[in-house]
Amino acid sequence: MTDLVERVITASLVEEGNRSDFEDQMDEMLGSAGATFIFRCALFLWMTKLTSGQYKGGYWEYLKLSNGGFYLRLKSDVTYSLERDDTGGQYQASAETVSIWANLFAFDSVKKVKTMPEQSKKNALKFTHCLREYSYKAKLVFNYPND
């Protein structure tokens, strides 16, 4: 019988003095400066869309994941009131939770750009899987009260 060991995935904050280097690394990780530009634009647009306009900008932290991924997290104590499209139900989500969802959608946006280099699309898919795995294991999911 094989013992199954669950792998723990951790997130490490990129220190203030290393942010510029990390921004350069994002171009390498995503495969091009264009992919990074699309990712950032999509991230902010998805954050606005997911929060129905409640998001008005803010300071974003960079986090590296121990499984090879990364994500950007809005530094905020705000709890967002969100609405489910399928039921119209209301629920609450932390800035971190909504940030993770916005990152997932932003990675997907990179994959959908027709002129994006194939390597950038593959890298975005990889980072989608890394972040999904982290968020699942860290139980950073939406809480649906009264459903």
Side-chain angles (χ1 to χ4, degrees), residues 2-85:
T2 305
D3 290 328
L4 296 176
V5 177
E6 186 168 334
R7 181 172 69 154
V8 174
I9 302 168
T10 58
S12 302
L13 182 66
V14 174
E15 296 297 326
E16 189 67 34
N18 297 326
R19 285 175 63 90
S20 181
D21 291 339
F22 185 77
E23 289 172 356
D24 292 339
Q25 291 171 13
M26 282 177 59
D27 291 346
E28 294 173 28
M29 292 185 293
L30 284 169
S32 70
T36 302
F37 178 77
I38 295 295
F39 172 77
R40 285 176 178 271
C41 291
L43 177 66
F44 304 139
L45 289 170
W46 275 109
M47 192 69 177
T48 301
K49 181 176 175 66
L50 290 168
T51 63
S52 300
Q54 298 168 63
Y55 166 70
K56 302 291 186 198
Y59 182 83
W60 289 78
E61 298 174 316
Y62 302 151
L63 292 103
K64 292 181 183 180
L65 302 177
S66 61
N67 64 357
F70 74 92
Y71 74 104
L72 280 63
R73 174 178 68 195
L74 177 63
K75 184 176 182 178
S76 175
D77 294 330
V78 172
T79 298
Y80 291 99
S81 254
L82 308 177
E83 186 174 314
R84 285 180 62 170
D85 286 341

Side-chain angles (χ1 to χ4, degrees), residues 108-119:
D108 191 56
S109 296
V110 171
K111 296 182 301 189
K112 290 181 178 178
V113 175
K114 291 180 182 181
T115 58
M116 188 64 61
E118 284 304 311
Q119 189 59 52

